[in-house]
Amino acid sequence: MAPRDLSIEKRTIAVLVDNEPGVLARVIGLFSGRGYNIESLTVSAVDPARRQSRITVITSGTPQILEQIKAQLDRLVPVHGVSDLSMEGPSVERELALVKVAGKGNKRVESLRIADIFRARVVDSGHEHFIFEMTGKSDKLDVFIDLMRPLGLVDVSRTGVVAISRGPTGLLS
Amino acid sequence: MGPGGKRNETMPGKQMTGSQMVLKALCDQGVEVIFGYPGGAVLPLYDALHQQNAVRHILVRHEQAAVHAAEGYARSTGKVGVVLVTSGPGATNAVTGLTDALMDSIPVICLTGQVPTHLIGNDAFQEADTTGITRPCTKHNYLVKNVDDLPRVMHEAFYVAQTGRPGPVVIDLPKDVLQAKSAVYIGPEEVKHPSYRPRTKPDPRAIEKAIEVIAKAKRPIIYSGGGVINSGDKASRLLTRFVRALGAPCTNTLMGLGAYPASDPQFLGMLGMHGTYEANLAMYNCDVLINVGARFDDRVTGRLDEFSPNSYKIHIDIDPSSINKNVVVDLPIVADVGAALDALVKGWTNGGHSLSQRALKAWWKTIETWRERDCLSFKTKSAVIKPQYAIQRLYELTKDRETFITTEVGQHQMWAAQYYKFEQPRHWMTSGGLGTMGYGLPAAYGVQVAHPEALVVDIAGEASIMMNIQELSTLAQYDLPVKIFIINNQWMGMVRQWQELLHGGRYSQSYSASLPDFVKLAEAFGAVGLRASKPEELDDLILEMVDSPRPVVFDCQVDQTENCFPMIPSGAAHYEMLLGPGDKAAKPVSEEGMVLV
């Protein structure tokens, strides 16, 4: 038997599904029922005419488990296609965060200065708070949020990662 | 409403209720019989059922039995089994059967009633989240909220249930949808699923590669499973042709018994935990392993890191998720096994290939030395019936008839698999993956409904049979002459065996206390009751059973201490088989093995 590779890898997987009731529960139930990890999961309708939604899931496991995850996803009845964006050539990944920071004086000025460096936008402000909107790779968001922590970080809301392959071809082509 | 044609016969404006549409769709799908139990939410459907004669309804006594009956029907015919149950408890009682059908890849459609759409989510009477509960135990499920969707969903469900790797599909039907009227009935041919397209044709390059590897094999083995049976009878014939063309040994999984004729000299018997010595050692020592429609189940592989360690592995399976799930293989072939076998047989014969006869002769010589151990031999006693002997006699006295065997779960199931020889597919019905006690009796009458003239025997244990004993009433109602052959050792035998081998002989809760008098029980349900306790009376009583036109409960009182051998202890490898009671002390089960089931 071929030796098993037991190293843990992280993968970004995109799944195109029929936008029907229960489809997200099917995907999540598959992960929980079979003991797979979900590090991030996003879902939204992407094609109202065809009634399709796209799910982006970041998961981790051994290469054998990751192949299982893709095969198990692909055999769900409402799934049109599964794409392993980490393996199938270059891709773009983005995440959006809304970050609320409350404070006065220097801390407040400092938070705005850092936001400027990170190209975060101010989407709401008051005398004692800002809400920043920031888009980028997840690790950049992590760094920004860490920098905000001592400056009065109150709340963070993140979308989870969305991803798409580079180049002219689509998920089903 | 009669049996509908295959074309869309709906006139514009011709109104049908949801219930009528369900029945019309069943007719259009060729359904002749359904197994069910009525209740509040499905009353409209039962009302429509009452007003037609095309679909026959078998009233079960518990919804779990309805699903097992549909499984027996499906496995013995190759058609889809259909179940109809009410909402709430009707649906939850069906869950065990659905899980069983999922594990063993049996095509079943289960229609469940549901509270009316406006009450869904309100904790209404007999409401359960049926699609939520059955999502992990079905291949797919539907909640129909609009009557216009109903015909499409019905036909789609049949398509999903029986194509690809077959499985159970639930259609949840709110009561108001069953009562609503619509004029948009469509026939099966108009339904195309947008995303579900199982792959059935093998990659020709993979077939070519497989033939190239097999042609160089010195110690090949074919390991075939339930997928061959699911693929259709042609697949079994192709398997036989392929194995004979190679001249190689063939072993079957529990689910695959009958896919290859058991009397054939190239057949090594079942493999796995209670498989034969020769089958398991051949798996361990082979150099090319050809898995045809099996899934490397843990009952088959034993300890994974010692499973067939030096072989090149070819795996034919219609389900891509079966590939590399338990065992990493060298050459996957994702296809219907019938199509793959067809391509292999053609490629092999047209290419004029043959195995090295010298190597093959040496391989068979080795296998014969394993066979000489005669691992299924047992010591008979004059005073008491050995369970193996009882099944041997049952086989000898029924083999010349059209006989279907079902089982419950436990020692008797393994003895049936070891000692009853199956020559054809679809004659052996057992709960393999889930291991559901209570499966055998309802599955048996599901078979009997499909094959009214055949002899159908449920080989049971005294503990398992109690789990769906109420179904004796169903046998009585429909004059179904099922024979229930109880291997009665007064213990939950497999539990007791594991307690003996692994838990210091502390027989915690495994004694079958307070058993009923099975003869009187049979009579109370209008069946014939027979009892045997001595070897010399067995043959006459078995003949009396099989010749009876009525259902029979046969209480076969056997040796209470007998264990099921050979056995691979959990966590052990194929070569570490225990061949009999004397073997157990020498090889203690590892701690890793103790946690396995």
Side-chain angles (χ1 to χ4, degrees):
Chain A
M1 191 165 74
R4 282 168 185 240
D5 184 352
L6 295 176
S7 61
I8 302 288
E9 293 173 22
K10 196 191 245 192
R11 297 272 178 89
T12 304
I13 293 168
V15 191
L16 201 62
V17 298
D18 277 329
N19 184 10
E20 61 179 30
V23 67
L24 186 60
R26 258 176 237 291
V27 171
I28 292 173
L30 175 76
F31 276 76
S32 62
R34 293 186 181 267
Y36 306 145
N37 298 316
I38 297 181
E39 298 193 4
S40 164
L41 184 135
T42 66
V43 57
S44 182
V46 290
D47 189 338
R50 290 204 186 102
R51 298 181 61 218
Q52 288 179 352
S53 291
R54 183 166 166 133
I55 296 171
T56 310
V57 55
I58 297 183
T59 183
S60 59
T62 64
Q64 194 186 352
I65 293 282
L66 290 163
E67 289 309 306
Q68 262 296 299
I69 290 172
K70 286 187 276 177
Q72 293 287 354
L73 284 169
D74 207 23
R75 77 176 186 149
L76 293 177
V77 169
V79 167
H80 288 266
V82 178
S83 172
D84 184 341
L85 295 169
S86 309
M87 296 298 283
E88 297 163 12
S91 62
V92 184
E93 290 188 9
R94 288 294 179 270
E95 187 178 2
L96 184 145
L98 295 172
V99 181
K100 187 183 286 187
V101 181
K104 295 182 187 171
N106 273 348
K107 283 188 175 176
R108 187 171 143 78
V109 177
E110 179 67 1
S111 69
L112 192 61
R113 207 177 62 82
I114 292 171
D116 191 44
I117 294 167
F118 278 79
R119 298 207 179 96
R121 286 174 49 206
V122 176
V123 290
D124 185 47
S125 67
H127 292 301
E128 295 185 3
H129 83 281
F130 287 118
I131 298 175
F132 300 112
E133 174 203 308
M134 190 179 149
T135 307
K137 287 193 174 177
S138 299
D139 53 356
K140 189 175 156 194
L141 267 55
D142 293 342
V143 172
F144 178 69
I145 290 161
D146 278 347
L147 287 171
M148 288 297 144
R149 226 173 280 282
L151 302 176
L153 184 75
V154 175
D155 261 340
V156 180
S157 179
R158 295 171 70 152
T159 57
V161 172
V162 292
I164 204 160
S165 65
R166 289 184 188 271
T169 55
L171 194 152
L172 295 177
S173 48
Chain B
M1 200 174 64
K6 293 290 169 197
R7 289 168 54 83
N8 179 2
E9 292 169 3
T10 311
M11 317 286 182
K14 188 188 169 192
Q15 297 273 312
M16 295 167 87
T17 64
S19 298
Q20 288 168 333
M21 283 189 179
V22 169
L23 282 164
K24 170 117 178 87
L26 292 178
C27 287
D28 285 354
Q29 291 288 344
V31 175
E32 290 163 1
V33 60
I34 62 177
F35 302 89
Y37 202 102
V42 281
L43 282 174
L45 197 40
Y46 271 87
D47 197 41
L49 199 61
H50 194 69
Q51 297 172 44
Q52 56 86 53
N53 288 315
V55 178
R56 184 181 176 206
H57 180 271
I58 303 288
L59 176 68
V60 301
R61 300 301 187 266
H62 186 287
E63 289 88 350
Q64 182 195 349
V67 188
H68 294 325
E71 288 184 271
Y73 180 92
R75 267 181 81 69
S76 67
T77 60
K79 296 187 207 164
V80 177
V82 182
V83 176
L84 169 56
V85 298
T86 194
S87 64
T92 56
N93 276 346
V95 163
T96 300
L98 293 169
T99 312
D100 193 89
L102 183 73
M103 293 284 271
D104 286 345
S105 309
I106 314 293
V108 167
I109 298 285
C110 180
L111 306 166
T112 56
Q114 183 53 278
V115 301
T117 45
H118 70 275
L119 285 179
I120 289 177
N122 280 21
D123 299 328
F125 177 64
Q126 292 198 328
E127 182 185 357
D129 174 10
T130 301
T131 45
I133 290 168
T134 61
R135 201 170 284 130
C137 65
T138 53
K139 182 171 173 185
H140 195 51
N141 63 15
Y142 300 88
L143 169 62
V144 183
K145 285 186 161 173
N146 186 332
V147 68
D148 291 342
D149 295 333
L150 188 49
R152 175 186 59 79
V153 167
M154 287 291 297
H155 298 310
E156 214 178 273
F158 271 86
Y159 178 64
V160 169
Q162 61 192 317
T163 55
R165 179 174 177 178
V169 177
V170 161
I171 308 174
D172 204 22
L173 300 163
K175 193 172 184 180
D176 55 329
V177 173
L178 290 174
Q179 287 173 315
K181 289 188 171 175
S182 166
V184 295
Y185 184 81
I186 52 170
E189 70 287 347
E190 291 171 69
V191 173
K192 280 202 184 96
H193 200 279
S195 58
Y196 174 75
R197 283 176 297 270
R199 183 162 142 200
T200 56
K201 290 202 175 67
D203 177 355
R205 284 166 306 178
I207 294 290
E208 220 171 277
K209 173 77 181 163
I211 287 171
E212 187 191 313
V213 171
I214 296 166
K216 286 186 203 141
K218 291 189 170 67
R219 298 182 309 280
I221 187 166
I222 288 97
Y223 143 50
S224 61
V228 180
I229 290 166
N230 272 336
S231 176
D233 294 354
K234 194 180 166 212
S236 294
R237 289 195 294 273
L238 284 165
L239 174 72
T240 308
R241 271 179 64 188
F242 183 57
V243 172
R244 286 187 180 150
L246 293 184
C250 176
T251 176
N252 275 163
T253 67
L254 180 71
M255 298 306 293
L257 294 175
Y260 191 84
S263 60
D264 190 280
Q266 281 170 250
F267 186 59
L268 303 187
M270 182 174 75
L271 82 165
M273 186 174 271
H274 294 289
T276 66
Y277 187 65
E278 53 270 32
N280 285 331
L281 282 194
M283 289 291 281
Y284 185 78
N285 288 287
C286 67
D287 68 345
V288 174
L289 187 163
I290 310 157
N291 173 338
V292 186
R295 60 185 176 92
F296 294 109
D297 179 76
D298 57 69
R299 301 289 99 164
V300 157
T301 60
R303 194 161 82 233
L304 273 174
D305 56 6
E306 294 243 45
F307 172 73
S308 194
N310 301 312
S311 63
Y312 183 94
K313 295 177 184 68
I314 300 168
H315 187 186
I316 307 171
D317 202 304
I318 200 162
D319 178 3
S321 77
S322 283
I323 306 288
N324 295 336
K325 182 170 67 180
N326 300 332
V327 170
V328 178
V329 297
D330 301 282
L331 179 61
I333 302 177
V334 175
D336 171 57
V337 291
L341 283 166
D342 190 44
L344 282 173
V345 169
K346 279 185 183 139
W348 187 262
T349 43
N350 296 349
H353 297 282
S354 75
L355 292 172
S356 153
Q357 292 306 301
R358 218 176 113 195
L360 197 60
K361 209 173 156 191
W363 180 221
W364 274 110
K365 204 174 158 194
T366 315
I367 291 170
E368 289 307 330
T369 63
W370 296 326
R371 261 189 179 157
E372 279 161 20
R373 294 289 294 268
D374 197 9
C375 67
L376 293 179
S377 63
F378 55 91
K379 290 193 182 83
T380 45
K381 293 181 194 164
S382 57
V384 58
I385 301 173
K386 285 282 178 179
Q388 301 95 322
Y389 177 73
I391 290 168
Q392 264 184 352
R393 293 316 301 158
L394 179 71
Y395 168 65
E396 291 298 333
L397 297 170
T398 58
K399 66 180 180 186
D400 297 327
R401 305 179 187 229
E402 174 81 349
T403 307
F404 293 83
I405 300 289
T406 72
T407 73
E408 310 288 334
V409 168
Q411 285 182 322
H412 68 274
Q413 178 191 27
M414 291 300 110
W415 284 318
Q418 291 170 334
Y419 294 94
Y420 205 100
K421 310 287 176 207
F422 296 93
E423 301 297 315
Q424 319 166 53
R426 303 200 180 285
H427 285 65
W428 161 249
M429 268 54 60
T430 195
S431 170
L434 194 63
T436 311
M437 293 168 76
Y439 167 89
L441 171 53
Y445 71 69
V447 176
Q448 189 82 73
V449 165
H451 308 271
E453 304 303 321
L455 174 65
V456 185
V457 184
D458 170 27
I459 297 178
E462 86 291 336
S464 277
I465 196 63
M466 293 299 288
M467 281 216 185
N468 269 322
I469 195 71
Q470 76 287 343
E471 298 304 316
L472 286 173
S473 179
T474 311
L475 300 187
Q477 182 178 347
Y478 298 96
D479 292 324
L480 296 164
V482 167
K483 318 302 179 201
I484 302 161
F485 191 69
I486 304 173
I487 302 291
N488 181 355
N489 64 357
Q490 306 222 5
W491 287 90
M492 294 165 207
M494 196 57 93
V495 173
R496 196 218 50 214
Q497 177 167 344
W498 280 50
Q499 287 172 334
E500 184 182 325
L501 295 175
L502 304 174
H503 295 275
R506 291 178 295 280
Y507 299 122
S508 180
Q509 303 294 325
S510 53
Y511 182 67
S512 291
S514 303
L515 283 173
D517 178 329
F518 284 110
V519 173
K520 282 188 189 161
L521 183 80
E523 286 160 3
F525 278 102
V528 176
L530 298 173
R531 177 172 294 126
S533 54
K534 295 190 186 72
E536 64 270 20
E537 60 188 12
L538 197 54
D539 279 20
D540 286 347
L541 284 164
I542 289 176
L543 285 173
E544 189 179 339
M545 171 179 85
V546 298
D547 288 334
S548 171
R550 293 166 61 199
V552 177
V553 179
F554 191 118
D555 182 8
C556 186
Q557 300 190 330
V558 300
D559 187 346
Q560 296 192 9
T561 58
E562 192 68 14
N563 281 340
C564 191
F565 289 107
M567 178 183 184
I568 302 175
S570 51
H574 277 169
Y575 63 86
E576 297 172 301
M577 293 197 87
L578 310 180
L579 287 177
D583 261 3
K584 67 190 169 197
K587 300 163 186 165
V589 169
S590 66
E591 271 184 44
E592 285 164 58
M594 286 289 283
V595 303
L596 300 175
V597 181

